[in-house]
PDB file of all heavy atoms in Angstrom:
ATOM      1  N   GLY A  67       4.508 -10.179   0.739  1.00 94.00           N
ATOM      2  CA  GLY A  67       3.110 -10.284   1.144  1.00 94.00           C
ATOM      3  C   GLY A  67       2.829 -10.552   2.595  1.00 94.00           C
ATOM      4  O   GLY A  67       2.043  -9.926   3.139  1.00 94.00           O
ATOM      5  N   ILE A  68       3.700 -11.517   3.090  1.00 96.00           N
ATOM      6  CA  ILE A  68       3.595 -11.837   4.570  1.00 96.00           C
ATOM      7  C   ILE A  68       4.011 -10.647   5.485  1.00 96.00           C
ATOM      8  O   ILE A  68       3.372 -10.293   6.360  1.00 96.00           O
ATOM      9  CB  ILE A  68       4.351 -13.026   4.848  1.00 96.00           C
ATOM     10  CG1 ILE A  68       3.688 -14.265   4.102  1.00 96.00           C
ATOM     11  CG2 ILE A  68       4.436 -13.330   6.332  1.00 96.00           C
ATOM     12  CD1 ILE A  68       4.580 -15.550   4.068  1.00 96.00           C
ATOM     13  N   VAL A  69       5.066  -9.998   4.960  1.00 96.00           N
ATOM     14  CA  VAL A  69       5.644  -8.895   5.824  1.00 96.00           C
ATOM     15  C   VAL A  69       4.753  -7.733   5.733  1.00 96.00           C
ATOM     16  O   VAL A  69       4.459  -7.122   6.738  1.00 96.00           O
ATOM     17  CB  VAL A  69       7.076  -8.494   5.323  1.00 96.00           C
ATOM     18  CG1 VAL A  69       7.602  -7.310   6.048  1.00 96.00           C
ATOM     19  CG2 VAL A  69       7.993  -9.669   5.551  1.00 96.00           C
ATOM     20  N   LEU A  70       4.116  -7.454   4.567  1.00 95.00           N
ATOM     21  CA  LEU A  70       3.095  -6.360   4.347  1.00 95.00           C
ATOM     22  C   LEU A  70       1.872  -6.639   5.173  1.00 95.00           C
ATOM     23  O   LEU A  70       1.343  -5.709   5.748  1.00 95.00           O
ATOM     24  CB  LEU A  70       2.805  -6.304   2.847  1.00 95.00           C
ATOM     25  CG  LEU A  70       3.703  -5.452   2.043  1.00 95.00           C
ATOM     26  CD1 LEU A  70       3.363  -5.514   0.578  1.00 95.00           C
ATOM     27  CD2 LEU A  70       3.726  -3.921   2.486  1.00 95.00           C
ATOM     28  N   LEU A  71       1.579  -7.925   5.255  1.00 96.00           N
ATOM     29  CA  LEU A  71       0.385  -8.161   6.109  1.00 96.00           C
ATOM     30  C   LEU A  71       0.540  -7.734   7.582  1.00 96.00           C
ATOM     31  O   LEU A  71      -0.213  -7.177   8.151  1.00 96.00           O
ATOM     32  CB  LEU A  71      -0.036  -9.735   5.992  1.00 96.00           C
ATOM     33  CG  LEU A  71      -1.233 -10.176   6.827  1.00 96.00           C
ATOM     34  CD1 LEU A  71      -2.501  -9.636   6.263  1.00 96.00           C
ATOM     35  CD2 LEU A  71      -1.260 -11.636   6.770  1.00 96.00           C
ATOM     36  N   VAL A  72       1.762  -8.069   8.121  1.00 95.00           N
ATOM     37  CA  VAL A  72       2.180  -7.789   9.558  1.00 95.00           C
ATOM     38  C   VAL A  72       2.175  -6.276   9.661  1.00 95.00           C
ATOM     39  O   VAL A  72       1.623  -5.647  10.523  1.00 95.00           O
ATOM     40  CB  VAL A  72       3.468  -8.413   9.858  1.00 95.00           C
ATOM     41  CG1 VAL A  72       3.946  -7.854  11.164  1.00 95.00           C
ATOM     42  CG2 VAL A  72       3.312  -9.894   9.896  1.00 95.00           C
ATOM     43  N   LEU A  73       2.939  -5.605   8.715  1.00 95.00           N
ATOM     44  CA  LEU A  73       3.070  -4.034   8.788  1.00 95.00           C
ATOM     45  C   LEU A  73       1.758  -3.355   8.685  1.00 95.00           C
ATOM     46  O   LEU A  73       1.453  -2.462   9.409  1.00 95.00           O
ATOM     47  CB  LEU A  73       4.066  -3.652   7.660  1.00 95.00           C
ATOM     48  CG  LEU A  73       5.538  -3.971   7.829  1.00 95.00           C
ATOM     49  CD1 LEU A  73       6.286  -3.597   6.680  1.00 95.00           C
ATOM     50  CD2 LEU A  73       6.082  -3.349   9.137  1.00 95.00           C
ATOM     51  N   ALA A  74       0.911  -3.787   7.593  1.00 94.00           N
ATOM     52  CA  ALA A  74      -0.319  -3.039   7.447  1.00 94.00           C
ATOM     53  C   ALA A  74      -1.355  -3.325   8.520  1.00 94.00           C
ATOM     54  O   ALA A  74      -2.028  -2.454   8.917  1.00 94.00           O
ATOM     55  CB  ALA A  74      -0.908  -3.580   6.106  1.00 94.00           C
ATOM     56  N   VAL A  75      -1.427  -4.518   9.050  1.00 94.00           N
ATOM     57  CA  VAL A  75      -2.333  -4.785  10.198  1.00 94.00           C
ATOM     58  C   VAL A  75      -1.910  -4.110  11.380  1.00 94.00           C
ATOM     59  O   VAL A  75      -2.706  -3.352  12.175  1.00 94.00           O
ATOM     60  CB  VAL A  75      -2.522  -6.278  10.378  1.00 94.00           C
ATOM     61  CG1 VAL A  75      -3.253  -6.592  11.735  1.00 94.00           C
ATOM     62  CG2 VAL A  75      -3.331  -6.952   9.277  1.00 94.00           C
ATOM     63  N   GLY A  76      -0.632  -4.123  11.602  1.00 92.00           N
ATOM     64  CA  GLY A  76      -0.055  -3.315  12.824  1.00 92.00           C
ATOM     65  C   GLY A  76      -0.265  -1.851  12.613  1.00 92.00           C
ATOM     66  O   GLY A  76      -0.649  -1.244  13.547  1.00 92.00           O
ATOM     67  N   HIS A  77      -0.210  -1.281  11.453  1.00 90.00           N
ATOM     68  CA  HIS A  77      -0.511   0.125  11.157  1.00 90.00           C
ATOM     69  C   HIS A  77      -1.849   0.444  11.437  1.00 90.00           C
ATOM     70  O   HIS A  77      -2.228   1.412  12.184  1.00 90.00           O
ATOM     71  CB  HIS A  77      -0.078   0.486   9.728  1.00 90.00           C
ATOM     72  CG  HIS A  77      -0.478   1.829   9.370  1.00 90.00           C
ATOM     73  ND1 HIS A  77       0.287   2.960   9.587  1.00 90.00           N
ATOM     74  CD2 HIS A  77      -1.560   2.316   8.698  1.00 90.00           C
ATOM     75  CE1 HIS A  77      -0.341   3.971   9.220  1.00 90.00           C
ATOM     76  NE2 HIS A  77      -1.462   3.620   8.637  1.00 90.00           N
ATOM     77  N   VAL A  78      -2.838  -0.404  10.981  1.00 90.00           N
ATOM     78  CA  VAL A  78      -4.184  -0.129  11.162  1.00 90.00           C
ATOM     79  C   VAL A  78      -4.614  -0.152  12.587  1.00 90.00           C
ATOM     80  O   VAL A  78      -5.291   0.606  13.183  1.00 90.00           O
ATOM     81  CB  VAL A  78      -5.126  -1.102  10.336  1.00 90.00           C
ATOM     82  CG1 VAL A  78      -6.539  -0.992  10.631  1.00 90.00           C
ATOM     83  CG2 VAL A  78      -4.937  -0.721   8.739  1.00 90.00           C
ATOM     84  N   LEU A  79      -4.168  -1.244  13.373  1.00 90.00           N
ATOM     85  CA  LEU A  79      -4.421  -1.360  14.753  1.00 90.00           C
ATOM     86  C   LEU A  79      -3.884  -0.210  15.555  1.00 90.00           C
ATOM     87  O   LEU A  79      -4.565   0.366  16.350  1.00 90.00           O
ATOM     88  CB  LEU A  79      -3.830  -2.759  15.253  1.00 90.00           C
ATOM     89  CG  LEU A  79      -4.563  -4.027  14.805  1.00 90.00           C
ATOM     90  CD1 LEU A  79      -3.860  -5.262  15.329  1.00 90.00           C
ATOM     91  CD2 LEU A  79      -6.062  -3.957  15.205  1.00 90.00           C
ATOM     92  N   ILE A  80      -2.637   0.117  15.321  1.00 85.00           N
ATOM     93  CA  ILE A  80      -2.056   1.212  16.041  1.00 85.00           C
ATOM     94  C   ILE A  80      -2.608   2.530  15.798  1.00 85.00           C
ATOM     95  O   ILE A  80      -2.871   3.379  16.701  1.00 85.00           O
ATOM     96  CB  ILE A  80      -0.528   1.227  15.841  1.00 85.00           C
ATOM     97  CG1 ILE A  80       0.135  -0.061  16.535  1.00 85.00           C
ATOM     98  CG2 ILE A  80       0.156   2.410  16.552  1.00 85.00           C
ATOM     99  CD1 ILE A  80       1.564  -0.316  15.987  1.00 85.00           C
ATOM    100  N   MET A  81      -2.856   2.812  14.604  1.00 84.00           N
ATOM    101  CA  MET A  81      -3.283   4.162  14.195  1.00 84.00           C
ATOM    102  C   MET A  81      -4.859   4.353  14.370  1.00 84.00           C
ATOM    103  O   MET A  81      -5.279   5.473  14.628  1.00 84.00           O
ATOM    104  CB  MET A  81      -2.931   4.469  12.732  1.00 84.00           C
ATOM    105  CG  MET A  81      -1.478   4.452  12.484  1.00 84.00           C
ATOM    106  SD  MET A  81      -0.601   5.863  13.274  1.00 84.00           S
ATOM    107  CE  MET A  81      -1.150   7.216  12.241  1.00 84.00           C
ATOM    108  N   HIS A  82      -5.651   3.262  14.184  1.00 83.00           N
ATOM    109  CA  HIS A  82      -7.045   3.588  14.017  1.00 83.00           C
ATOM    110  C   HIS A  82      -7.849   2.789  14.989  1.00 83.00           C
ATOM    111  O   HIS A  82      -9.093   3.038  15.043  1.00 83.00           O
ATOM    112  CB  HIS A  82      -7.467   3.211  12.508  1.00 83.00           C
ATOM    113  CG  HIS A  82      -6.709   3.969  11.506  1.00 83.00           C
ATOM    114  ND1 HIS A  82      -6.688   5.282  11.325  1.00 83.00           N
ATOM    115  CD2 HIS A  82      -5.853   3.440  10.516  1.00 83.00           C
ATOM    116  CE1 HIS A  82      -5.978   5.736  10.398  1.00 83.00           C
ATOM    117  NE2 HIS A  82      -5.412   4.605   9.907  1.00 83.00           N
ATOM    118  N   VAL A  83      -7.332   1.817  15.728  1.00 86.00           N
ATOM    119  CA  VAL A  83      -8.148   0.923  16.569  1.00 86.00           C
ATOM    120  C   VAL A  83      -7.785   1.118  18.022  1.00 86.00           C
ATOM    121  O   VAL A  83      -8.632   1.373  18.848  1.00 86.00           O
ATOM    122  CB  VAL A  83      -8.044  -0.617  16.162  1.00 86.00           C
ATOM    123  CG1 VAL A  83      -8.863  -1.429  17.081  1.00 86.00           C
ATOM    124  CG2 VAL A  83      -8.518  -0.754  14.672  1.00 86.00           C
ATOM    125  N   ILE A  84      -6.551   0.856  18.388  1.00 84.00           N
ATOM    126  CA  ILE A  84      -6.122   1.017  19.707  1.00 84.00           C
ATOM    127  C   ILE A  84      -6.137   2.425  20.293  1.00 84.00           C
ATOM    128  O   ILE A  84      -5.798   3.366  19.414  1.00 84.00           O
ATOM    129  CB  ILE A  84      -4.703   0.454  19.940  1.00 84.00           C
ATOM    130  CG1 ILE A  84      -4.676  -1.029  19.506  1.00 84.00           C
ATOM    131  CG2 ILE A  84      -4.068   0.617  21.341  1.00 84.00           C
ATOM    132  CD1 ILE A  84      -3.305  -1.597  19.391  1.00 84.00           C
ATOM    133  N   GLY A  85      -6.526   2.565  21.444  1.00 78.00           N
ATOM    134  CA  GLY A  85      -6.537   3.912  22.093  1.00 78.00           C
ATOM    135  C   GLY A  85      -7.862   4.588  21.715  1.00 78.00           C
ATOM    136  O   GLY A  85      -8.914   4.050  21.693  1.00 78.00           O
ATOM    137  N   GLU A  86      -7.769   5.831  21.321  1.00 81.00           N
ATOM    138  CA  GLU A  86      -8.917   6.705  21.025  1.00 81.00           C
ATOM    139  C   GLU A  86      -9.337   6.497  19.562  1.00 81.00           C
ATOM    140  O   GLU A  86     -10.301   7.185  19.140  1.00 81.00           O
ATOM    141  CB  GLU A  86      -8.630   8.180  21.188  1.00 81.00           C
ATOM    142  CG  GLU A  86      -8.163   8.520  22.705  1.00 81.00           C
ATOM    143  CD  GLU A  86      -7.700   9.793  22.889  1.00 81.00           C
ATOM    144  OE1 GLU A  86      -8.013  10.745  22.055  1.00 81.00           O
ATOM    145  OE2 GLU A  86      -6.875  10.043  23.833  1.00 81.00           O
ATOM    146  N   GLY A  87      -8.626   5.720  18.913  1.00 78.00           N
ATOM    147  CA  GLY A  87      -9.043   5.494  17.476  1.00 78.00           C
ATOM    148  C   GLY A  87      -8.544   6.551  16.532  1.00 78.00           C
ATOM    149  O   GLY A  87      -7.603   7.333  16.774  1.00 78.00           O
TER     150      GLY A  87
END
Side-chain angles (χ1 to χ4, degrees):
I68 293 168
V69 175
L70 276 169
L71 182 66
V72 170
L73 290 173
V75 169
H77 173 83
V78 168
L79 288 175
I80 292 165
M81 298 292 287
H82 306 294
V83 176
I84 297 173
E86 299 169 28

